[in-house]
Amino acid sequence: MTAQAQATTIIDVGKLVGSVEHYRNEGYRLVQIGCTKVGDTYEINYSFDKDYHFENIRIVVSADTEVPSISGMYWNSFIYENEMHDLFGIQVRGMNIDFKGTLFRTSVKYPFSQPPVTVTKGDKP
Amino acid sequence: MSKQIIVPFGPQHPVLPEPIHLDLVLEDETVVDVIPSIGYIHRGFEKLVEKREFTEYVYVAERTCGICSFVHGATYCEGIEQIMKIDVPERAQYLRVIWSEFSRLHSHLLWLGCFADSFGFENLFMGAWKTRERVLDFMEETTGGRVIQGTSKIGGVRRDISSERLDKMVKDLDILDQEMKELTTVFLHDDSVRHRLRNVGVISREDAYHLGAVGPTARGSGVAIDMRKLGYGAYDRLNVPVITDSCGDCLSRCTVRAKELFTSTDLIRQAVSKIPDGPVEVKVTGAPDGEYFTRAEQPRGELVHYLKGNGSKFLVRSRIRTPTLTNIPPLIKMLQGCELADVPVIVLSIDPCISCTER
Amino acid sequence: MAFFEMVRTALRTVLQQPVTILYPAQAAKKTPISRGHVVHDGSKCISCSICVKKCPSQAIILNKEAKTWQIDRFRCVVCNSCVDTCPTKCLSMDTQYTAPAAAKGIETFTITYVKPPKPEKKDEQKP
Ligand code: SF4
Ligand code: SF4
């Protein structure tokens, strides 16, 4: 099994748009944007790929930071950004298609930023 | 300019097996804009990773999708194995390839059937599903489950296939090839089918690439991306041809999938001829600490499993980026400018799997 | 130009036997390793509750006092995890699928396993 080389660069929120633009100009495609809650902060990974070469940039933000949208460079990013907003409550500024929290309609608001629910065994219907 | 009206499409629609809702903005019969919305069946089970030990989560990961389930399970296991630096026995890697390729056969045949149904060719639909039954029978005989195989585990696979069974399987593949040949001839050469699909839902090579299309949707536009080329599992020891087609319309995407059926059977033959003897699993101790992005080629395209562990038995995050999610933006591009009557065919042509999109 | 490519296949299918099974008049397809439903053998279960912990869907409820082992068939996803991990092999996978039911319910098995006398002696010595 061959391990795929994976470089992750951690950058500031302010440098995000510039770095993404660099990837766009180099002809990378956007693989995914994914959010992870670590403690009280959120790590957001932006992954790019070009000819099977995988690169990843990461910003670490707090819950109330507004993240700029990259939909100006990658039109398809709206789907991930809306997902991030609906599930984690990250505010994204300037999305090209803003669902305003209706892409995933969940009963609990921002479910992935809440601590996990404990189901008590035995009291099932 | 004529008046614009909005026609809702889905989540319940005769051609759609799964719930996606599109608001189609129409001018006369032409679609000018599309607003997609999903979230009808969001299960949120990425969250479940915090409550289940990483060894049990493989059963959950496998249930992401009801069609390409095996690939999800194997990809998840591979991610954990990469984090924990586990060397999976050779035989297990080959077995994973065999089951993955059977999943692909199963998925593509299912899709070809559904697609035939979407343009009203019921007979072909039945034909495709009849052939698919052979694949499912094989799955059930070797894994115990028709759709959810459940044979991947961290450190290997849970079941071995005996070499006699493998030999018999290769013989059966000839029958399968024969049946698939008959089917694909209809898809690729029948004039009524070609007429219905040619130049419908065209997406250019540039658009497909930059909007993040993956899998047959991208390859149908001439973008040669196939994650099997990364060489995960045993794929680095097999010859994987990447099938592309240049027109970028529904027929191209159909052609790619039809031809991939034969690459899959070919890969299974290659794998069976190379499979070594030996154990199929290694014992796993410890817990994952670290993170990894596993990428694999699912029947619908590139699948990304992001796993992050903190050294305990419970992972911090499992993020599953399914191919359909990233194929939705290209779908919007395809739909802009098409006729209302073509919408069902175009939507199906990306092989939408909304259940796996809504982990 | 190729019209009616399907005709040959279609005609042949007309002359063949149907490929579908007339379920339930005919039995459904099964293989020796099909995962149908979990069966519990009460005479071997040592109430170790490993199966409870290893079940991804939390379908098993074990009550040590009442000596019952319960399974919620509607929660069980038939994944084989409990069968694989049970130390005494008292769980097994039957190939028969569970019958459809109109109401949700929990199936109860009674544990009849009695500890062999030797370990019991140890217990007495402890306090
Ligand atoms: S088969 Fe799986 S889901 Fe069912 S009881 Fe056993 S562990 Fe739980
Ligand atoms: S069924 Fe098996 S695993 Fe479960 S409590 Fe009994 S002995 Fe233990």
Side-chain angles (χ1 to χ4, degrees), chain C residues 38 54-57 59-60 71 76-82 93:
Chain C
V38 182
K54 292 283 174 188
C55 173
S57 59
I60 303 172
I71 181 167
C76 172
V77 294
V78 207
C79 66
N80 219 30
S81 170
C82 52
M93 193 54 86

Side-chain angles (χ1 to χ4, degrees), chain B residues 48 52-53 55-56 59-60 63 121 123-124 127 130 133 137 140-146 148-150 158-159 182-183 185-186 189-192, chain C residues 1-6 8-10 12-13 16 19 29-36 53-58 75 77-81 84 97:
Chain B
L48 204 58
R52 297 284 182 278
E53 287 179 22
T55 42
E56 270 98 75
Y59 302 110
V60 182
R63 282 161 176 80
F121 205 150
N123 208 333
L124 194 51
K130 189 176 101 187
E133 207 51 35
D137 283 351
E140 188 166 1
E141 271 170 46
T142 53
T143 66
R146 273 163 61 89
I148 305 282
Q149 281 77 36
R158 288 159 84 198
R159 269 181 204 285
E182 254 175 50
L183 268 179
T185 320
V186 185
H189 301 296
D190 191 275
D191 258 15
S192 55
Chain C
M1 280 287 166
F3 286 107
F4 304 113
E5 285 281 349
M6 192 67 192
R8 205 161 50 98
T9 320
R12 210 179 46 233
T13 322
Q16 275 170 356
V19 286
K29 271 190 284 188
K30 278 197 288 205
T31 67
I33 58 167
S34 291
R35 298 196 305 271
K53 288 198 201 89
K54 292 283 174 188
C55 173
S57 59
Q58 304 181 323
R75 285 188 82 106
V77 294
V78 207
C79 66
N80 219 30
S81 170
D84 282 355
Y97 297 129

Side-chain angles (χ1 to χ4, degrees), chain A:
Chain A
M1 197 184 321
T2 37
Q4 302 152 23
Q6 297 187 339
T8 297
T9 329
I10 300 179
I11 57 164
D12 280 351
V13 184
K15 293 217 187 92
L16 175 70
V17 173
S19 314
V20 173
E21 201 161 9
H22 163 77
Y23 282 113
R24 169 73 213 217
N25 294 339
E26 293 281 305
Y28 279 78
R29 80 189 155 85
L30 180 68
V31 172
Q32 65 107 25
I33 303 176
C35 189
T36 308
K37 186 170 192 243
V38 183
D40 283 336
T41 56
Y42 296 85
E43 288 178 355
I44 307 175
N45 294 308
Y46 294 77
S47 317
F48 302 91
D49 170 279
K50 184 188 180 184
D51 301 333
Y52 307 117
H53 176 70
F54 184 85
E55 290 219 11
N56 188 37
I57 56 175
R58 170 177 303 165
I59 54 173
V60 182
V61 296
S62 62
D64 45 8
T65 322
E66 245 197 1
V67 178
S69 166
I70 61 161
S71 51
M73 277 88 64
Y74 288 98
W75 188 78
N76 54 332
S77 69
F78 73 87
I79 202 125
Y80 305 113
E81 285 169 349
N82 277 296
E83 182 190 28
M84 191 153 96
H85 171 266
D86 294 358
L87 300 183
F88 287 91
I90 306 275
Q91 301 299 325
V92 186
R93 187 175 356 106
M95 278 187 275
N96 52 357
I97 305 179
D98 193 346
F99 285 85
K100 301 200 166 55
T102 55
L103 184 65
F104 291 103
R105 279 153 288 203
T106 49
S107 57
V108 181
K109 211 163 189 223
Y110 311 140
F112 281 51
S113 61
Q114 313 290 337
V117 211
T118 314
V119 180
T120 336
K121 296 266 324 245
D123 59 39
K124 283 168 290 195

Side-chain angles (χ1 to χ4, degrees), chain C residues 44-61:
Chain C
K44 283 196 276 176
C45 175
I46 53 170
S47 310
C48 66
S49 80
I50 287 179
C51 55
V52 180
K53 288 198 201 89
K54 292 283 174 188
C55 173
S57 59
Q58 304 181 323
I60 303 172
I61 306 166

